[in-house]
Amino acid sequence: MPAHDVLIIGAGLAGQRAALAAAEVGATVAIMSKVHPVRSHSNAAAGGINAALNPDDSWESHAFDTVKGSDYLGDQDAIEIMCREAPGEVLWLEHRGVTFHRNLEGKLGTRAFGGASAARTYYVADITGQALLHVLYEQLMKFHALIDRYEEWFVTALVQDDDGQCTGAVARNIRDGSMELFGAKATIQASGGAGQCFKPTTNALICTGDGIAQSFRIGAPLMDMEMIQYHPTTLAGNGILITEGARGEGAHLYNAEGERFMEKYAPNKMELASRDVVSRSEQTEINEGRGFPDGTVALDITKVPRKRTLEALREIVNIGRDFAGVDITREPIHIRPGCHYIMGGVKTDVWGATSIPGLYAAGEVACVSVHGGNRLGANSLLDTLIFGRRSGEHAAQRAAGMSAPRASRAALADERRMIAGIIGREGGGRRISAIKDELGTMMNEKCAVFRTAQGLAEAHETIRRLKEEASVAAIDDRGSVFNQDVLAALELEYMLDVAECIVVGAIERKESRGAQFRLDFPERNDDEWLKHITLSVNGADAPQISYTPVTMTQWEPQERTY
Ligand SMILES: Cc1cc2nc3c(=O)[nH]c(=O)nc-3n(C[C@H](O)[C@H](O)[C@H](O)COP(=O)(O)OP(=O)(O)OC[C@H]3O[C@@H](n4cnc5c(N)ncnc54)[C@H](O)[C@@H]3O)c2cc1C
């Protein structure tokens, strides 16, 4: 049995940063990913990473923008930590070789992003995530003596001992189907988000909420699950993202009547209001008949000088051409709000620790909560790195003070049996892809920008039925080499667990705050709902609901206008 001080599930930015932090203090590390690490979804991040690094900016201003952006649901102690530590983290990355954009004076240059009172987004053209991920991966290789990489291994379950401590995980080697128990003194979930619960989404096919569901199943509470971010600029049909960097560089939004409609909704910040505000404004225009027949509004990037677009937004030039047949340097492109990010996740403290001893979570899988009701653009890369590093440090510290826990081989036998059960399914069930399509399309109808009690209740009912169908879904591939059918069956069950938690949270929150807009409760209600909704496993029934207070340090809730 492979045993390490720290086991990290996920090799995106959060996982890789955690691995480096743990190895830097001498811990032995296993980092595991179901795809090659540089194919992790962090690779898709485009626009940049926030930090108050300019002398005329301040961490307090960054923190206040984040608190306001979160619609006052973010925990202010965690937000303070993230914003204070941001400048050091960006410099750390630069010193390791990230080629951040430099301005004409040769200094690190910034671009504006939504909901921010200063231009504080550092970027590498519109491939920031890719640039960061490759530099971190080089560092992982440099630390090869301490960090073992398990690439194309799929974790199927977390393992606990009799005292409830997390003692590692069971994983399947995707290449040959063998199963292995990995023992660890500390385990970090860094397995990313769950955008695939919705269709369409900006998220990669691998974002199926595995870590959220696995942690929930062993008793780790989830928090803020109802808060799903719809990004204002995604392509109709396929959901591909047009980065907020476009609006940061000066692109405008127009309805089909040629009106720059953000003047009505956010006269001060216009297109650079918070994402929840811009998405709701677009959807209102579309719903009230001022959109285009394809259910979109127009993003006009021709407002940005062509040379600048070709230099700083070159990926979306390619996306416009290849996926919409539009030259964005010469004509507007049709966009609409699309599922993009999950603010909720596994509840952690500011060191990434969950309520299960030995289990940590960092990155999109986690909820610290720094994003509360709505994440500001370019704050997620920051979240992955700051809390990835902190969880790596804390997990290494825990490991240094303890002997290896006894890992239960019974868990390995259970997981082998569970996989054999999937492979041995009789034919006749619905196809996994059909169940997944129904889930995603339904979530995008009933749990999107605008929500109602009736729509959410219908969503819950559908999820319950889909769970039953998923448990007997048809399998074609019964082999062991790269068996994607088995993995898809597992991912579908994770997505259904996550979707149920999203819907249960959205039903429970009877107000409108951040990304949750209830047509039947259209106002924010601080008296009753300035609190986190926390969900825990509850046998076979729906998740059990409890509440966690929001941590306030220096910013009292105010009316939120842009
Ligand atoms: C198109 C797009 C653009 C974005 N642009 C920006 C931006 O400009 N700025 C910003 O701040 N944010 C941006 N975001 C958000 C940001 O990219 C993500 O929130 C962030 O990268 C998530 O990183 P992560 O490390 O938590 O997870 P990921 O990068 O998703 O990594 C998850 C890892 O977990 C592994 N994994 C998952 N399940 C399993 C399993 N069962 N077994 C083994 N391994 C598993 C995966 O293989 C992967 O290695 C963007 C998001 C999208 C969709």
Side-chain angles (χ1 to χ4, degrees):
M1 175 188 81
H4 297 80
D5 291 332
V6 181
L7 167 65
I8 299 172
I9 305 167
L13 286 173
Q16 293 201 29
R17 189 66 186 90
L20 290 170
E24 269 168 3
V25 294
T28 59
V29 177
I31 184 164
M32 190 170 289
S33 171
K34 64 181 177 179
V35 296
H36 187 280
V38 296
R39 299 189 68 200
S40 297
H41 184 58
S42 294
N43 194 45
I49 174 169
N50 287 335
L53 195 53
N54 282 333
D56 51 355
D57 197 0
S58 69
W59 74 262
E60 289 93 339
S61 164
H62 183 187
F64 173 68
D65 290 344
T66 304
V67 169
K68 179 179 171 185
S70 79
D71 219 347
Y72 296 89
L73 190 66
D75 283 325
Q76 297 180 10
D77 56 342
I79 292 173
E80 286 196 12
I81 288 170
M82 182 176 81
C83 297
R84 273 179 199 269
E85 295 184 1
E89 193 64 28
V90 168
L91 291 179
W92 183 89
L93 291 164
E94 220 259 339
H95 293 169
R96 267 147 198 84
V98 176
T99 53
F100 282 114
H101 171 79
R102 286 183 176 262
N103 61 24
L104 291 175
E105 293 167 38
K107 296 189 174 147
L108 289 180
T110 53
R111 63 164 46 122
F113 245 61
S117 51
R120 62 168 73 95
T121 302
Y122 293 87
Y123 63 97
V124 182
D126 53 356
I127 55 161
T128 310
Q130 186 181 340
L132 263 52
L133 204 55
H134 281 260
V135 165
L136 289 195
Y137 192 63
E138 285 167 13
Q139 297 296 312
L140 278 194
M141 290 194 277
K142 187 170 146 194
F143 276 91
H144 64 89
L146 286 170
I147 303 177
D148 290 335
R149 304 192 311 274
Y150 293 88
E151 298 172 357
E152 299 186 317
W153 280 75
F154 187 107
V155 169
T156 61
L158 296 167
V159 178
Q160 281 172 294
D161 67 10
D162 294 341
D163 301 326
Q165 284 193 95
C166 180
T167 55
V170 176
R172 176 178 169 92
N173 184 345
I174 299 173
R175 290 172 204 208
D176 62 12
S178 58
M179 303 285 288
E180 188 62 87
L181 174 66
F182 288 79
K185 297 176 187 172
T187 301
I188 304 177
Q189 273 286 4
S191 45
Q196 286 290 322
C197 294
F198 292 74
K199 186 182 177 186
T201 172
T202 61
N203 285 204
L205 284 168
I206 53 175
C207 300
T208 46
D210 307 11
I212 301 178
Q214 288 165 0
S215 307
F216 178 70
R217 288 176 187 181
I218 67 158
L222 308 181
M223 195 162 84
D224 297 347
M225 288 298 287
E226 67 278 20
M227 298 301 181
I228 299 294
Q229 179 161 83
Y230 268 63
H231 192 291
T233 56
T234 71
L235 295 185
N238 56 30
I240 295 175
L241 183 80
I242 303 293
T243 173
E244 186 165 303
R247 281 170 291 136
E249 297 286 344
H252 294 176
L253 288 167
Y254 293 98
N255 63 21
E257 294 164 10
E259 236 184 309
R260 198 174 163 200
F261 57 85
M262 285 309 298
E263 279 168 1
K264 285 186 291 197
Y265 302 99
N268 297 319
K269 297 295 283 182
M270 301 288 283
E271 284 82 0
L272 288 179
S274 252
R275 288 179 176 173
D276 57 332
V277 173
V278 182
S279 286
R280 262 195 304 280
S281 309
E282 289 177 358
Q283 198 61 53
T284 304
E285 293 296 301
I286 294 164
N287 292 353
E288 292 180 359
R290 292 183 294 278
F292 293 98
D294 58 349
T296 60
V297 291
L299 176 70
D300 188 357
I301 305 171
T302 66
K303 301 290 171 203
V304 183
R306 187 161 190 272
K307 180 168 176 295
R308 177 71 184 155
T309 301
L310 292 173
E311 197 177 271
L313 298 170
R314 55 187 187 234
E315 273 309 302
I316 59 164
V317 172
N318 295 334
I319 287 172
R321 187 193 58 219
D322 297 343
F323 293 97
V326 170
D327 177 354
I328 60 165
T329 68
R330 299 189 192 282
E331 57 180 320
I333 186 163
H334 287 195
I335 50 79
R336 70 178 185 193
C339 165
H340 182 60
Y341 183 84
I342 179 159
M343 268 74 76
V346 184
K347 179 179 185 308
T348 73
D349 68 11
V350 295
W351 289 102
T354 71
S355 63
I356 307 270
L359 179 65
Y360 294 75
E364 198 168 333
V365 70
C367 178
V368 189
S369 136
V370 284
H371 308 302
N374 170 70
R375 169 175 76 85
L376 292 190
N379 261 358
S380 170
L381 294 186
L382 184 60
D383 167 16
T384 64
L385 294 162
I386 300 291
F387 294 103
R389 170 172 54 71
R390 290 172 73 87
S391 62
E393 285 168 4
H394 206 268
Q397 228 174 58
R398 172 186 157 89
M402 66 185 283
S403 50
R406 261 191 61 233
S408 140
R409 296 203 69 85
L412 178 59
D414 287 348
E415 291 302 291
R416 282 195 174 124
R417 246 192 319 275
M418 182 272 295
I419 298 272
I422 293 175
I423 290 178
R425 273 180 198 168
E426 303 287 333
R430 266 183 98 187
R431 300 200 69 78
I432 291 169
S433 57
I435 300 174
K436 186 180 166 210
D437 273 6
E438 185 180 345
L439 171 71
T441 308
M442 179 280 292
M443 290 294 280
N444 200 31
E445 267 170 34
K446 302 194 190 295
C447 201
V449 176
F450 294 114
R451 301 167 174 182
T452 62
Q454 192 191 337
L456 292 168
E458 286 164 10
H460 199 187
E461 218 170 279
T462 306
I463 291 167
R464 295 294 194 101
R465 170 176 51 81
L466 294 180
K467 277 188 162 190
E468 280 172 26
E469 292 176 0
S471 66
V472 292
I475 290 287
D476 290 327
D477 187 349
R478 298 180 197 277
S480 51
V481 177
F482 282 101
N483 186 334
Q484 297 296 330
D485 258 10
V486 167
L487 304 188
L490 295 172
E491 289 174 338
L492 179 62
E493 295 195 11
Y494 299 140
M495 282 186 280
L496 284 161
D497 281 2
V498 172
E500 182 169 31
C501 289
I502 293 169
V503 168
V504 167
I507 291 172
E508 179 64 9
R509 184 172 288 283
K510 293 177 182 62
E511 65 152 359
S512 292
R513 179 185 301 273
Q516 153 104 340
F517 195 97
R518 288 280 300 260
L519 289 169
D520 41 354
F521 297 97
E523 301 298 328
R524 192 176 89 190
N525 177 352
D526 288 339
D527 289 342
E528 288 178 73
W529 288 105
L530 186 55
K531 57 190 178 190
H532 300 285
I533 294 172
T534 311
L535 302 173
S536 309
V537 75
N538 178 25
D541 295 320
Q544 183 158 335
I545 297 169
S546 57
Y547 306 107
T548 306
V550 174
T551 306
M552 302 267 178
T553 56
Q554 42 180 313
W555 297 284
E556 288 297 319
Q558 299 168 13
E559 193 193 346
R560 186 162 162 258
T561 54
Y562 286 100

